[in-house]
Amino acid sequence: MSSQDWQSRIDTTVAHPARRYDYWLGGKDNFAADRASGDAIAAKFPAIRTAVVENRRFLRRAVTFLASEVGVRQFLDIGTGLPTANNTHEVAQAIAPESRIAYVDNDPLVLVHARALLTSAPEGGTVYVDADLRDPGKILDDPDLRRTLDLTQPVALLLLAILHFVPEEDDPYSVVRRLLAALPAGSYLVASHATSDYLPPELVADISSGRHGQGRLRTRAEFARFFDGLDLVEPGVVPLAEWRASAEPQPRPTASETAMYAGVARLT
């Protein structure tokens, strides 16, 4: 994608989740609309920056678990976001340099930065797919993805902090089922999701209004449905900061400080 092509696709007047996330993490790849939206959410939920930092820590822990304890060597990371510390391929390839990673995002700015900055270990491979989570067929049929990942061998499907941007009318459960149906037994689903369980009603109403973009906060039971038919890895579906976090700095953030759930499960 040329500079002119991606610039023509970026609407800097509308907040984008990846750029707003970048702003909360202290990055510089965001615009006024992203910062205004981020500040509006932070004004009602001051712990939002704790939540996004903990989401990155969960990614690191989950990928470390899969690469070191399970032996997964392929990762499909959808909703990649802008590059920051501990990207999926960095964590996986630090353990197993031959690991192969396919990143997927629908923000052209993310793809430009990813292709420039996320370089693979020579033993492994990375690819960057321009697609939307809601179009699993396009993702799975992408020729670069097919050249990078062997879908007859186990793949870890990473859906971190992205499913809450898919409203009910887009049937996120069907989207996840279609993605998992393309993966063999021994693959894994890794997911995290914002929840309404711990947020004040006025913030839930504000987020649900659509002024910060489409999406839907979900309860623990609604999030757990994404893992139906899979074998949950201990400790199951838990508040984000609690998933296998004994080695993290203590005390851990509370469930109300992250307002997100996380889980990892195996396809059988």
Side-chain angles (χ1 to χ4, degrees):
M1 183 187 300
S2 70
S3 174
Q4 184 175 5
D5 289 338
W6 69 258
Q7 285 179 348
S8 68
R9 288 181 51 194
I10 295 176
D11 184 352
T12 62
T13 66
V14 177
H16 189 281
R19 301 194 304 263
R20 185 171 55 210
Y21 192 94
D22 174 74
Y23 172 57
W24 284 328
L25 283 174
K28 298 179 180 179
D29 297 306
N30 49 76
F31 302 100
D34 309 306
R35 296 189 287 273
S37 175
D39 288 343
I41 294 174
K44 292 184 172 67
F45 183 49
I48 186 62
R49 289 180 175 84
T50 298
V52 298
V53 168
E54 287 299 326
N55 192 59
R56 295 297 297 187
R57 287 177 171 169
F58 168 64
L59 181 153
R60 174 176 49 78
R61 297 196 302 273
V63 172
T64 297
F65 163 73
L66 292 172
S68 63
E69 297 187 37
V70 179
V72 173
R73 295 293 180 261
Q74 301 189 109
F75 298 83
L76 174 53
D77 185 344
I78 303 178
T80 304
L82 286 152
T84 184
N86 293 318
N87 299 290
T88 299
H89 78 285
E90 293 171 325
V91 179
Q93 291 182 348
I95 297 164
E98 70 273 20
S99 297
R100 307 181 72 80
I101 295 87
Y103 289 111
V104 181
D105 208 287
N106 67 349
D107 182 350
L109 186 62
V110 168
L111 294 169
V112 168
H113 281 261
R115 287 173 175 141
L117 299 175
L118 303 186
T119 55
S120 171
E123 300 93 333
T126 56
V127 67
Y128 314 98
V129 179
D130 181 6
D132 192 298
L133 168 63
R134 294 167 296 181
D135 191 354
K138 181 178 179 181
I139 294 171
L140 295 167
D141 292 339
D142 184 87
D144 289 335
L145 182 146
R146 291 282 182 164
R147 281 191 291 269
T148 303
L149 301 183
D150 177 359
L151 299 186
T152 68
Q153 298 298 314
V155 175
L157 171 62
L158 275 60
L159 300 174
L160 274 66
I162 185 174
L163 289 168
H164 48 243
F165 293 114
V166 184
E168 292 301 296
E169 53 264 33
D170 288 333
D171 197 357
Y173 298 103
S174 176
V175 168
V176 174
R177 285 194 299 269
R178 288 180 62 191
L179 289 166
L180 293 175
L183 307 181
S187 295
Y188 284 79
L189 171 62
V190 181
S192 61
H193 198 298
T195 181
S196 56
D197 288 350
Y198 304 100
L199 296 178
E202 61 272 18
L203 180 54
V204 174
D206 184 47
I207 293 174
S208 301
S209 69
R211 65 171 55 96
H212 302 293
Q214 65 179 1
R216 188 180 185 281
L217 299 170
R218 294 184 172 89
T219 65
R220 183 187 183 282
E222 289 172 326
F223 173 55
R225 279 184 57 199
F226 289 108
F227 299 99
D228 283 355
L230 309 180
D231 288 342
L232 279 163
V233 172
E234 290 294 332
V237 173
V238 295
L240 179 74
E242 297 177 14
W243 195 89
R244 298 193 171 218
S246 59
E248 297 282 14
Q250 304 292 326
R252 305 300 297 130
T254 65
S256 60
E257 287 175 314
T258 60
M260 293 183 73
Y261 289 115
V264 177
R266 185 178 187 272
L267 284 72
T268 56

